[in-house]
């Protein structure tokens, strides 16, 4: 896409007019419906989508809500409470009546062009909402917000410019959506193969972890970690640096305290680490006694897949739910032939690499979209009108 040529014609234009959103678009109300009613009325595959803020939605039939409350025009939906954001939707819809939406009756206005502009300024509205005890904005906040209309004296040219901006930005959002769908599919595929590969019959040898592994607790307080060249395995995915190491091996690192706390037993992550590393003091390292009998990476995959069955039930405590080393030693694990373990690890490593790579690609595409969106929509604006 020849963005540079288009931008050269667009960026330094003087023929831009700034107008309040209410003079460009038509604001519509929602429908009176409760969360309970949405749950009762919801039907998979129904034609009308009802938005309730955040990710909460329901699909209903046309006769489930008043006809006057159903919007059939492409619109910008304003999620005005809690997580304040804008969403574009071009199918029949409605929303709870504390929200509102905008559509255009003017042929010279591309509604999606203004959606991208509002999306770029979403943090501005979130800043307004943050001043309230419950984050929220009011209709005047969006009604009076100034939006740029290029070439107002030439509607045809104006629409061409708006359409070209939309085309460029939609290309990025479409790619992001494709990658997100791909990630979802790969995660499902990964879960399926992980489940199938980690099923073992009674014929497979099973041993208690304490019979085939050494378990050692971490010692380094995370907050006092000294900067250095060795990784410090903490209770998040971030690897902080340590000047010293406690282990020089391949190990499975398991949190001994629930990451959620408040009496809720949960293990969000189980780590595989090898080489020289330090370990946070609320984790333990499970080290196979013989790497030719038990692969540490195989053990990590197995424990993570079965954590809700094998580990979470062992956690005890009040505010800080914890897992003891003694209880961990009694957990039985399968010991298939090492060749089978290595085959399973190779397959799951490939899925793991793919699943981890896609979020990075999605993040890159999102940043790319935001860069070009800001570039394309940063029109010259009089100082007194700056938001």
């Amino acid at each position: 896409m020849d963005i540079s040529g288009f931008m050269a014609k667009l960026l330094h234009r003087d023929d831009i007019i700034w107008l309040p959103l209410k003079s460009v678009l038509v604001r519509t109300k929602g429908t009176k419906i409760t969360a309970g009613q949405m749950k009762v009325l919801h039907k998979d595959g129904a034609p009308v989508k009802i938005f309730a803020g955040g990710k909460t939605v329901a699909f209903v039939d046309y006769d489930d809500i008043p006809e006057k409350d159903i919007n059939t025009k492409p619109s910008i939906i304003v999620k005005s409470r809690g997580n304040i954001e804008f969403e574009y939707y071009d199918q029949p819809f409605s929303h709870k009546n504390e929200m509102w939406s905008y559509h255009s009756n003017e042929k010279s206005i591309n509604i999606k062009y203004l959606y991208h502009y509002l999306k770029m300024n979403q943090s501005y509205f979130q800043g307004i909402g943050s001043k309230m005890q419950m984050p929220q904005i009011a209709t005047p906040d969006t009604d009076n917000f100034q939006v740029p209309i290029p070439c107002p004296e030439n509607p045809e040219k104006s629409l061409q410019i708006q359409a070209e901006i939309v085309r460029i930005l939609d290309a990025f959002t479409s790619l992001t959506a494709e990658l997100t769908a791909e990630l979802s599919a790969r995660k499902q595929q990964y879960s399926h193969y992980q489940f199938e590969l980690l099923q073992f019959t009674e014929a497979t040898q099973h041993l208690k972890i304490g019979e085939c592994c050494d378990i050692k607790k971490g010692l380094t307080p995370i907050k006092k970690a000294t900067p250095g060249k060795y990784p410090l395995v903490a209770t998040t995915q971030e690897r902080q640096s340590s000047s010293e190491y406690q282990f020089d091996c391949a190990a499975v690192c398991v949190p001994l305290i629930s990451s959620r706390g408040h009496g809720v037993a949960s293990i969000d992550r189980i780590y595989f680490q090898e080489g020289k590393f330090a370990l946070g003091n609320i984790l333990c390292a499970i080290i196979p006694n013989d790497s030719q009998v038990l692969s540490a990476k195989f053990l990590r995959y197995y424990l993570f897949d079965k954590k809700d069955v094998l580990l979470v039930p062992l956690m005890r405590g009040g505010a800080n739910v914890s897992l003891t080393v003694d209880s961990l030693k009694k957990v039985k694990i399968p010991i298939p032939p090492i060749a089978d373990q290595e085959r399973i690890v190779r397959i799951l490593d490939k899925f793991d690499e793919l699943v981890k790579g896609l979020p990075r690609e999605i993040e890159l595409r999102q940043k790319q979209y935001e860069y070009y969106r800001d570039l394309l929509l940063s029109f010259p604006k009089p100082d007194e009108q700056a938001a």
Side-chain angles (χ1 to χ4, degrees):
M1 51 181 76
D2 184 17
I3 297 177
S4 58
F6 177 67
M7 289 303 303
K9 298 177 183 178
L10 186 65
L11 269 182
H12 300 291
R13 306 194 63 87
D14 294 324
D15 49 354
I16 299 291
I17 188 171
W18 293 84
L19 297 171
L21 193 65
K22 65 182 178 183
S23 69
V24 180
L25 301 179
V26 178
R27 173 161 51 83
T28 54
K29 297 180 180 180
T31 189
K32 292 182 180 179
I33 191 169
T34 66
Q37 289 173 322
M38 286 180 62
K39 191 173 183 179
V40 171
L41 293 173
H42 173 76
K43 306 176 190 70
D44 290 338
V48 181
K49 187 174 184 177
I50 300 182
F51 294 84
K55 302 298 181 183
T56 304
V57 299
F59 288 89
V60 303
D61 289 324
Y62 281 102
D63 57 0
D64 286 332
I65 61 174
E67 183 179 358
K68 66 180 180 61
D69 296 341
I70 299 175
N71 196 324
T72 58
K73 294 185 177 182
S75 299
I76 302 167
I77 299 163
V78 182
K79 298 180 179 180
S80 58
R81 298 186 65 185
N83 186 21
I84 298 167
E85 59 182 354
F86 300 95
E87 184 165 341
Y88 172 81
Y89 197 66
D90 60 2
Q91 301 297 316
F93 76 94
S94 190
H95 46 70
K96 294 183 71 174
N97 57 7
E98 66 262 25
M99 299 163 60
W100 57 94
S101 54
Y102 292 96
H103 66 266
S104 173
N105 286 334
E106 299 292 334
K107 293 183 179 179
S108 60
I109 297 295
N110 187 318
I111 184 70
K112 208 166 191 186
Y113 159 77
L114 290 175
Y115 159 74
H116 284 298
Y117 188 77
L118 289 173
K119 197 72 176 173
M120 181 179 73
N121 288 279
Q122 193 165 268
S123 60
Y124 165 76
F125 292 98
Q126 290 169 344
I128 295 175
S130 67
K131 298 173 184 177
M132 309 294 288
Q133 185 173 4
M134 160 66 79
Q136 59 184 304
I137 57 174
T139 52
D141 295 323
T142 53
D143 276 355
N144 298 323
F145 186 71
Q146 301 281 306
V147 295
I149 306 300
C151 303
E153 303 301 324
N154 188 337
E156 183 178 352
K157 188 174 184 180
S158 178
L159 197 58
Q160 288 176 348
I161 292 173
Q162 294 174 55
E164 181 63 9
I165 291 174
V166 169
R167 184 190 70 80
I168 293 170
L169 296 181
D170 276 0
F172 290 114
T173 55
S174 176
L175 180 56
T176 301
E178 291 174 9
L179 289 171
T180 302
E182 174 74 5
L183 176 60
S184 178
R186 292 302 181 188
K187 281 183 175 179
Q188 290 181 359
Q189 192 178 31
Y190 184 12
S191 296
H192 169 76
Y193 276 99
Q194 183 170 262
F195 177 80
E196 293 295 329
L197 288 168
L198 296 174
Q199 300 302 305
F200 299 97
T201 66
E202 293 181 0
T204 302
Q205 180 187 20
H206 284 70
L207 293 174
K208 294 178 181 178
I209 288 179
E211 295 174 332
C212 56
C213 300
D214 187 17
I215 303 178
K216 295 182 178 180
K217 294 182 67 175
L219 299 175
T220 307
I222 297 174
K223 291 183 179 179
K224 297 181 180 179
T226 305
K229 62 181 180 178
Y230 301 110
L232 168 64
V233 183
T235 52
T236 68
Q237 285 185 319
E238 296 179 0
R239 297 298 193 267
Q240 302 177 44
S241 185
S242 176
S243 60
E244 298 180 355
Y245 63 89
Q246 297 160 215
F247 303 100
D248 185 3
C249 59
V252 182
C253 305
V254 177
L256 293 174
I257 296 179
S258 169
S259 60
R260 293 182 186 175
H262 305 294
V264 179
S266 170
I267 297 177
D268 291 336
R269 296 184 179 93
I270 294 176
Y271 308 99
F272 168 77
Q273 189 70 30
E274 60 184 341
K276 297 177 179 179
F277 64 94
L279 191 64
N281 62 342
I282 59 173
L283 294 95
C284 70
I286 305 176
I287 308 164
N289 294 333
D290 188 342
S291 61
Q292 296 304 307
V293 174
L294 177 62
S295 159
K297 187 170 273 192
F298 166 80
L299 178 58
R300 183 267 166 194
Y301 278 125
Y302 184 79
L303 288 179
F304 186 75
D305 183 59
K306 311 297 181 187
K307 59 186 173 61
D308 291 336
V309 176
L310 295 179
L311 304 183
V312 170
L314 300 176
M315 304 189 83
R316 298 289 183 270
N320 293 316
V321 185
S322 61
L323 178 69
T324 67
V325 170
D326 286 341
S327 63
L328 198 54
K329 287 179 179 180
K330 299 174 184 177
V331 173
K332 282 194 171 183
I333 57 171
I335 312 291
I338 192 66
D340 290 347
Q341 296 180 43
E342 291 172 349
R343 176 182 62 84
I344 291 170
V345 166
R346 284 196 300 271
I347 295 171
L348 295 182
D349 273 355
K350 290 180 180 178
F351 278 110
D352 195 44
E353 183 178 351
L354 181 60
V355 169
K356 286 180 179 177
L358 281 170
R360 289 193 291 269
E361 182 69 14
I362 291 170
E363 182 182 6
L364 176 63
R365 296 305 175 192
Q366 180 63 25
K367 288 181 178 179
Q368 199 173 26
Y369 159 75
E370 291 172 1
Y371 169 79
Y372 283 108
R373 180 193 64 193
D374 294 353
L375 194 63
L376 287 165
L377 295 174
S378 294
F379 297 104
K381 189 173 185 180
D383 291 340
E384 65 271 14
Q385 290 182 312

